[in-house]
Amino acid sequence: MTGKKILEYIKSIGIAILIALFIRAYIVQAFKIPSGSMIPTLLIGDHLLVNKFIYGIHPPFSDQRILVFEKPKRGDIIVFKYPEDPSRDFIKRVIAVEGDTVEIRNKKVFVNGVELKEPYARYTDSYIHPRDLDPRDNFGPVKVPQGKLFVMGDNRDQSYDSRFWGFVDLKDVKGKALIIYWSWDNENHKPRLERIGKIIK
């Protein structure tokens, strides 16, 4: 192989790597579900594609977003930097946005005084925790500050979320969960073929 051919291969590989890095940074990113906090919507072993550009992109060395198509809204399932450890990514559902008042009474969620209809929510513990024990089942009311989001897992009795550690900063949102492209059932050692291609809602 001639030196010119080798140089062409190197250039082609370099361009492919740059395109892949650009896509991962600004367009779409893969994410694997590591825990059961979003059951039944998302299962342990689901592999997702996350839409990173819908909420806007961060240019290098800037906290500002550009090309913002929409802001996270109630019901969106988002991936974000975990506030207590930004090196980790979390995935939860947006329950309330800036300016909303959120309250939980005996497991029922209210936003601006109206009870949410939540067909996606799962409860596995019939016992209701009193407010003085922890905020799992009775919380607030609190108003979501500007530039923040209040998020919860769909598996309400088994989710560590905004009830415990507070709000998500909008600048820490990485993207919106889009589609399941692969799912592996580790307990039964087989793929969940019926989940592949499922749009996440």
Side-chain angles (χ1 to χ4, degrees), residues 11 14 17 33 155 164 181 201:
K11 285 170 64 177
I17 290 172
I33 300 298
N155 193 5
F164 299 91
Y181 70 88
K201 299 178 181 177

Side-chain angles (χ1 to χ4, degrees), residues 69-105:
F69 291 93
E70 64 179 59
K71 285 186 175 183
K73 58 186 182 298
R74 283 183 227 142
D76 284 358
I77 296 176
I78 61 170
V79 173
F80 56 92
K81 294 179 183 178
Y82 174 37
E84 293 188 338
D85 181 1
S87 68
R88 297 170 60 193
D89 289 341
F90 266 27
I91 185 165
K92 305 289 180 188
R93 188 182 296 273
V94 177
I95 299 299
V97 299
E98 55 185 11
D100 284 341
T101 297
V102 59
E103 182 179 10
I104 301 168
R105 303 178 216 148

Side-chain angles (χ1 to χ4, degrees), residues 132-199:
D132 58 0
L133 176 63
D134 64 43
R136 189 189 75 172
D137 301 331
N138 287 280
F139 173 89
V142 295
K143 187 173 183 179
V144 182
Q146 186 174 357
K148 306 285 186 179
L149 301 168
F150 186 92
V151 300
M152 296 172 69
D154 288 355
N155 193 5
R156 292 293 160 78
D157 296 331
Q158 308 292 329
S159 175
Y160 189 55
D161 50 39
S162 286
R163 293 170 290 181
F164 299 91
W165 43 253
F167 304 104
V168 174
D169 199 308
L170 276 172
K171 69 178 177 57
D172 290 333
V173 176
K174 289 194 165 186
K176 180 180 180 180
L178 183 63
I179 192 171
I180 297 171
Y181 70 88
W182 177 249
S183 185
W184 180 258
D185 184 345
N186 200 44
E187 289 186 1
N188 296 303
H189 308 289
K190 64 178 183 178
R192 305 183 186 101
L193 298 178
E194 73 281 359
R195 295 186 64 77
I196 296 173
K198 183 178 179 181
I199 302 296

